[in-house]
Amino acid sequence: MKHAAARFFFCLLIPVAGIFNTTHAQTPFPYDTRSDSISIVHYNIHLDLQDFSTFVLKGHTQVIFKPKVNNITEITLDLMGPTVDSVHDANGNLLSFTPAPLGFKVSLGGTFNTGDSTSVEIFYHGTTVQDPTFGGFYFNSAYAFNVGVSLDDIPHNYGKTWFPCFDNFITRSAYDLFVTTLPTHDAACGGVFQGTVMNPDLSETHHWKVFQPIPSYLISVAVSNYVFVNSSFTDYQNNPVPVKLAAHASDTTPMKNSFVNLENAFDIFESRFGPYRWDRVGYVLVPMTAGAMEHAMNIAYPEIIADGSLTYQSIMAHELSHHWWGDLVTCRTAEDMWINEGSAAYCEYVFKEGLSGRAAYESQVRNEHKELLRTCHMDDGGYWPLSGVPQAHTYGNTTYLKGADMIHTLRGYLGDSLFFNGLKTLLEQNQFSDMDAIEYRDDLSAITGFNLTNFFADWIFQGGWPHVSIDSLTIVQNGVQHDVTVHLKQKLVGRTNYSNQIPLTLTLRDDNWNTYETTIHSSGMNNSVTVSVPFIPTFGYLNRDELISHAVTATYTTVTTTGTKNLSHSNMLLQVQNVSDSVFVLVEHNWAAPDPVIDWESGKLISPQRYWRIDGIWNSGFNANATFRYSGQISGGNAFLDHLLITGTEDSLILLYRPDRSVDWVEFPTYTKNFGNVTDKTGTLNAINVQKGEYAIALKGWHLGLNEWNEESNATLYPNPANGFVSVESNVTADRIVISDAMGRLVEQRLNPGAKADFVTASWKKGTYWVTGYSRDKSVFRKLLVVQ
Ligand SMILES: [Zn+2]
C-alpha cells in the first residue's frame, strides 16, 4: 500500500525526547492462531453488485477448509459490515452461528479431523464499511470496489469488509470470484479472467480465478463501466506475461502514458529480485485519493494520478514491487510490516536506479535519510524498532521510509552481489508464505553466509540510530608507511545499545590531496583501528559513499568559486569570500548530541540534538563565512532541529566552537546573530572566517551553580543510590530534567517533567550521574549513584 501523503499525514506531535523504544526480546509477535488449526484452501465468492443506488452488497461465499488438528467442531470467520443471513454445510444443511468479536462462529454440526476437507457457505447482505482514511468496501454512483487494508483500524486486514474469511496475513488460499453486474458494467478482479455469463434478467456474471495462494487482504474486486487494455510483457525467460489495465474509456490514454515505464519496472524488479510468479500484471483505476493498494494482479490505483504524466510513477512501481515484497512473501504480523512496505519503498529507489542510474538512487536515499533523522521519531511518536512498530503507527514513516533506509544499509553491509542474489533466494525459498524479522535474518544469513545477527540487533530490533565519528587520529611512522590509528566513537540517538561491527568506508587525506580509502568497523562506544597509509593524513572522515545510514548527513565539495553554496545536507550555507585555488570542504551535520562542555560551571547549555564538523583541504587563499540556521519550531521545514534546546526566547543563543576534541568548547570569536523575531525560535548564527573544527549551538547563562538545588529547593532523588529506578521530585518547576553521566554525556532527558518524574535506571551502568533540572531562570542539579 502506498499512502499518497504519508509524510504529511502522520503528524502526531509528541514532543518528548527520550522515548527510547528499545530492543524487543526477539520473540515472535502474537499472531492469529486460527491458522494453526484450520487451513482455508479455497474461497468461492459470489457477489451481486448491481445495486448502485442503495450501496448494498449481496453475496454468498463458500469457504473450503481442512483441519490441521483433530476434533474441529466450529469455525470462527471475520465479517464486518454486511449481516449474515444463513450458513450452510457442504450438503446444503443449515448450520447455527453466533456472533464473534470480528464476525461470527459457526457450529459445524460434526467433528472434523486432519485429512478431512469440508466447507461452509455463508449468505450475507448489507451496507459496507470504510476506514475514515483508507480501506474497506466503497460504493459511489459509478464504482464499487474494495481496498484490502485499513489505515486506522486494528487489525488492519480488511478482507472481512466484503467476504467472510480468516482475515490475517498467514492463511493463504486460492479464489474463484463470480461477480454479477449490470450489463453496462464490468468487473476487474484479481487473477485470471475465466468468462462472462449472461443471466436471464440481462445481468452478467463475470468469473475470475486466482490460482496462487494469497491472504484475504490481497483479493480484489472493482466494478464500473470499465474497458480493458490488454498487452503483454516478456519475462526473463522470454515468456509472455499478460498485462491488463482496467479504466474508464476516457482514462485509458492518460493511464497508458503514465505507465510507459511499467515494463521497465517489471524488468528492473525481475532482474534484482527474481521471476515474477503471478499469472498477469494488472491495475484498475478507482476513485481513491488516499493511496494505492497492491491487490494481487489487480492493483487498485487512484484515477487522479493516472493523469498522463510520470509524476506518480514511483507509486506505480511501488505497487508492482509488492508482487515480490508483500504479496509473494508477507509479513506474519503487522509489527513486521517493514518486510512489505519498507521493501516496497526501497523498490522505489531501485526503480529509480534502474531508470536513471546510481546517482539518482543515491540522491533519493540521501534526501529521505536526512528527513528521517529530523522527523521520523516525531511523526511516529517515538524511536520505534523497525520490527515492533506499534499498530497505531503501522503505516507511518518508520515502516516505509526508515524501512527503506535500513534495507539500503543492509545492501551496504552485504555489497550488491550478495544483497540482490541473497534476496532473490530469500524470496524463492519463502514464496507464497509469511515471514517475520527473525526468519528473515536467519534465512538471509544462511543464504549469504554473512552473519546478520549484528545488523538485525543494531538496525531492525532497536529503534533510533547509531552515530559514529572519528574522535582522533594517532600517527606513527613505520618504514616508508605510516601506521594511522583511527579512534572511533559511537553515540546513541534514541536508543540504549551500542552497535557492533558497523562497516564504514574510511577516507584519509592530506593537504596534497593524497587520498587513502578502506573499510573499517565500529564496535561499542569506543574502538580503534590501525591502518597503514603511504602519507601522513591531516584529517579523515567516514561513510563518504553513504552506504550506511547512521546519524550523520554530510556534504563533500570542491570549491573553486566565491559566492554562496547551499550545503543542504549539512544544514549550512557556506559563503565563500576568497578562493585562489581549489579547496576541498567537508561539512558533517551530526544528528547526535555534541560532547559536553567540560567547564560544567561556565553556564553553557549545549544542544542535546546536533553539531557540525567542518574540515577539508584548505589553503591560505581561502576565506569563507558559515551560516548555521537554528529552529526550535515544531512545524514546517526546519521543525525539530533544535526544539529540545530552544524552548524560550532566542536572545541567549550562542555559537560554540572547538578546533578538535582535545579541547573544551568556547564561544566562537567572530560571529553575528540574526535572531529576527526573538520569540519565533528561528534564525541564524553566522561565523565570520570559519575555521576547521566542531560547531554547536548553545544557550548561555542558564546553568547557575553547583549547590543551588541543595540550598534553594527541596529537590530530592529517591532512592539514592538507585537500583532499577529513581524518582526526581522538586518544588522548583523544571522545564526539563537532564541526566548525564560522570563524564557529562547525556543519558536521558525529559521535557516538562512536572513535580515528580520517574526514570528507569535498570539499563544504566553502575556509577555516578548528574541530575539537572532546568527552568527559565535557573538550573539545579544533584548527584545520583546507580548501584545495580
Ligand atoms: Zn505499499
Side-chain angles (χ1 to χ4, degrees):
M1 188 263 274
K2 173 79 177 180
H3 190 250
R7 186 181 292 291
F8 306 104
F9 194 81
F10 297 97
C11 286
L12 302 177
L13 190 62
I14 303 179
V16 175
I19 315 173
F20 296 129
N21 313 298
T22 54
T23 322
H24 76 65
Q26 293 175 38
T27 50
F29 297 104
Y31 63 96
D32 182 353
T33 53
R34 282 178 301 181
S35 299
D36 289 341
S37 54
I38 290 176
S39 169
I40 297 179
V41 294
H42 199 99
Y43 294 90
N44 288 309
I45 302 174
H46 301 256
L47 296 180
D48 186 333
L49 290 172
Q50 296 185 75
D51 183 355
F52 273 46
S53 58
T54 58
F55 300 164
V56 165
L57 180 149
K58 282 180 281 191
H60 56 105
T61 292
Q62 185 189 23
V63 181
I64 302 170
F65 61 94
K66 292 180 175 175
K68 290 174 152 178
V69 297
N70 291 332
N71 300 315
I72 295 294
T73 58
E74 56 189 35
I75 184 169
T76 301
L77 294 163
D78 304 326
L79 184 66
M80 190 175 166
T83 312
V84 176
D85 300 316
S86 62
V87 183
H88 304 256
D89 70 9
N91 299 314
N93 301 314
L94 275 176
L95 296 173
S96 64
F97 61 95
T98 52
L102 293 174
F104 58 98
K105 184 161 76 179
V106 180
S107 293
L108 296 173
T111 302
F112 295 89
N113 299 314
T114 57
D116 293 343
S117 176
T118 188
S119 68
V120 291
E121 185 156 23
I122 300 95
F123 288 76
Y124 52 101
H125 81 283
T127 52
T128 57
V129 296
Q130 300 87 34
D131 177 272
T133 312
F134 186 92
F137 198 97
Y138 294 83
F139 274 108
N140 68 21
S141 58
Y143 292 89
F145 64 99
N146 82 298
V147 172
V149 296
S150 143
L151 207 64
D152 300 336
D153 204 0
I154 298 169
H156 299 297
N157 312 64
Y158 253 17
K160 59 180 171 282
T161 60
W162 61 291
F163 69 101
C165 54
F166 281 0
D167 210 11
N168 60 37
F169 296 111
I170 303 167
T171 288
R172 305 181 86 93
S173 320
Y175 295 77
D176 278 279
L177 292 109
F178 303 88
V179 183
T180 300
T181 70
L182 298 171
T184 51
H185 283 165
D186 211 328
C189 301
V192 181
F193 178 60
Q194 303 292 302
T196 293
V197 173
M198 306 286 184
N199 301 310
D201 65 356
L202 298 181
S203 67
E204 295 180 353
T205 299
H206 313 277
H207 178 197
W208 293 76
K209 193 172 184 68
V210 176
F211 294 92
Q212 291 86 6
I214 54 172
S216 51
Y217 79 100
L218 289 176
I219 187 69
S220 60
V221 58
V223 170
S224 191
N225 52 341
Y226 285 126
V227 295
F228 293 97
V229 178
N230 295 304
S231 60
S232 84
F233 294 160
T234 304
D235 75 6
Y236 77 112
Q237 289 178 315
N238 271 330
N239 294 319
V241 176
V243 181
K244 214 181 241 306
L245 306 180
H248 287 170
S250 58
D251 290 335
T252 54
T253 298
M255 187 182 191
K256 281 187 281 187
N257 290 337
S258 287
F259 279 40
V260 290
N261 285 314
L262 180 59
E263 185 161 14
N264 284 328
F266 180 89
D267 292 342
I268 289 165
F269 297 145
E270 270 212 320
S271 72
R272 267 62 162 194
F273 302 119
Y276 185 80
R277 292 178 168 88
W278 306 88
D279 289 323
R280 70 172 172 103
V281 171
Y283 290 75
V284 58
L285 295 193
V286 293
M288 277 195 294
T289 54
M293 179 66 210
E294 67 269 22
H295 301 137
M297 298 170 273
N298 188 43
I299 292 159
Y301 201 76
E303 199 178 14
I304 53 162
I305 63 171
D307 59 357
S309 80
L310 300 180
T311 309
Y312 304 100
Q313 64 174 350
S314 66
I315 299 178
M316 171 200 77
H318 174 111
E319 303 305 331
L320 182 69
S321 78
H322 275 304
H323 289 72
W324 286 262
W325 298 105
D327 294 9
L328 186 65
V329 170
T330 309
C331 58
R332 184 163 301 141
T333 68
E335 285 81 2
D336 273 320
M337 187 57 74
W338 69 276
I339 294 174
N340 295 16
E341 296 297 354
S343 303
Y346 182 71
C347 285
E348 295 179 47
Y349 305 165
V350 171
F351 172 60
K352 181 158 269 189
E353 184 179 16
L355 276 190
S356 310
R358 175 77 190 184
Y361 166 93
E362 286 176 358
S363 167
Q364 188 163 1
V365 170
R366 187 182 301 131
N367 289 337
E368 296 290 4
H369 179 57
K370 184 187 168 206
E371 283 299 283
L372 286 167
L373 286 163
R374 187 172 64 85
T375 64
C376 187
H377 53 294
M378 303 307 296
D379 292 346
D380 284 356
Y383 289 103
W384 305 111
L386 205 51
S387 176
V389 175
Q391 294 202 23
H393 300 290
T394 298
Y395 296 108
N397 286 338
T398 305
T399 296
Y400 282 75
L401 295 173
K402 189 171 183 202
D405 206 19
M406 295 301 93
I407 293 167
H408 164 75
T409 301
L410 175 63
R411 180 174 175 178
Y413 272 60
L414 292 173
D416 277 14
S417 169
L418 266 192
F419 173 76
F420 285 114
N421 288 324
L423 292 183
K424 232 182 238 181
T425 307
L426 183 77
L427 287 168
E428 188 180 345
Q429 288 182 358
N430 293 281
Q431 58 180 291
F432 302 109
S433 76
D434 50 275
M435 191 191 271
D436 66 6
I438 301 167
E439 204 173 320
Y440 190 121
R441 174 193 67 191
D442 295 346
D443 283 7
L444 192 57
S445 293
I447 291 163
T448 57
F450 188 108
N451 186 336
L452 291 165
T453 306
N454 285 329
F455 174 84
F456 272 75
D458 296 337
W459 304 92
I460 307 294
F461 295 132
Q462 191 176 188
W465 311 84
H467 171 275
V468 190
S469 63
I470 296 175
D471 205 49
S472 58
L473 302 176
T474 310
I475 303 168
V476 178
Q477 185 154 4
N478 183 357
V480 295
Q481 294 284 104
H482 303 271
D483 289 340
V484 179
T485 301
V486 183
H487 303 284
L488 296 174
K489 181 169 187 168
Q490 250 183 56
K491 290 184 175 182
L492 305 170
V493 181
R495 54 169 53 188
T496 52
N497 295 327
Y498 291 99
S499 301
N500 288 302
Q501 292 290 311
I502 302 177
L504 293 157
T505 298
L506 165 73
T507 307
L508 296 171
R509 307 189 79 171
D510 71 5
D511 288 342
N512 296 318
W513 297 72
N514 288 310
T515 302
Y516 170 89
E517 224 164 60
T518 189
T519 300
I520 61 172
H521 293 82
S522 164
S523 287
M525 191 168 80
N526 297 102
N527 72 308
S528 299
V529 180
T530 301
V531 294
S532 181
V533 182
F535 58 90
I536 301 175
T538 49
F539 69 108
Y541 46 103
L542 299 170
N543 203 35
R544 171 196 56 76
D545 41 21
E546 297 177 0
L547 297 180
I548 305 300
S549 291
H550 73 132
V552 178
T553 52
T555 312
Y556 317 93
T557 183
T558 300
V559 175
T560 55
T561 56
T562 57
T564 299
K565 324 285 179 194
N566 183 359
L567 311 185
S568 63
H569 286 282
S570 310
N571 287 315
M572 202 192 86
L573 291 179
L574 188 70
Q575 277 135 2
V576 180
Q577 308 297 310
N578 288 297
V579 56
S580 57
D581 198 358
S582 291
V583 298
F584 172 73
V585 177
L586 155 72
V587 183
E588 286 174 357
H589 185 271
N590 294 273
W591 301 81
D595 291 343
V597 177
I598 296 167
D599 179 6
W600 184 241
E601 293 182 61
S602 66
K604 302 183 187 85
L605 175 62
I606 199 164
S607 166
Q609 293 182 264
R610 60 191 187 123
Y611 67 97
W612 290 262
R613 176 190 168 220
I614 301 178
D615 214 321
I617 304 169
W618 298 5
N619 54 41
S620 57
F622 178 64
N623 178 276
N625 302 336
T627 298
F628 303 94
R629 169 163 295 283
Y630 60 82
S631 172
Q633 296 181 344
I634 53 171
S635 64
N638 293 311
F640 315 127
L641 287 174
D642 303 297
H643 66 294
L644 300 178
L645 179 73
I646 306 168
T647 55
T649 59
E650 300 153 45
D651 41 18
S652 55
L653 285 174
I654 54 173
L655 182 65
L656 295 188
Y657 167 75
R658 59 178 181 173
D660 60 59
R661 293 191 181 173
S662 67
V663 295
D664 198 9
W665 295 96
V666 295
E667 194 167 350
F668 191 68
T670 50
Y671 71 105
T672 59
K673 304 172 182 183
N674 181 10
F675 294 142
N677 177 341
V678 293
T679 59
D680 68 359
K681 298 190 172 69
T682 186
T684 56
L685 300 175
N686 310 290
I688 312 297
N689 190 17
V690 70
Q691 303 294 306
K692 295 178 186 175
E694 291 186 344
Y695 293 79
I697 295 168
L699 294 175
K700 191 173 189 179
W702 278 42
H703 196 141
L704 294 184
L706 196 76
N707 299 314
E708 194 167 64
W709 200 339
N710 293 336
E711 291 164 1
E712 290 189 7
S713 78
N714 294 318
T716 49
L717 311 181
Y718 60 90
N720 189 7
N723 185 354
F725 77 97
V726 64
S727 294
V728 182
E729 211 171 319
S730 171
N731 61 1
V732 172
T733 305
D735 293 333
R736 80 182 73 200
I737 291 173
V738 175
I739 301 184
S740 52
D741 66 12
M743 302 294 291
R745 287 181 295 245
L746 180 71
V747 175
E748 190 167 339
Q749 72 163 326
R750 194 164 306 164
L751 289 182
N752 304 317
K756 178 172 177 289
D758 297 325
F759 293 86
V760 176
T761 65
S763 63
W764 303 357
K765 288 198 179 68
K766 197 156 81 174
T768 303
Y769 292 80
W770 295 103
V771 179
T772 311
Y774 292 94
S775 66
R776 181 65 190 86
D777 325 285
K778 63 180 64 172
S779 65
V780 289
F781 69 94
R782 295 200 65 180
K783 193 196 281 188
L784 167 70
L785 281 177
V786 172
V787 296
Q788 69 258 12

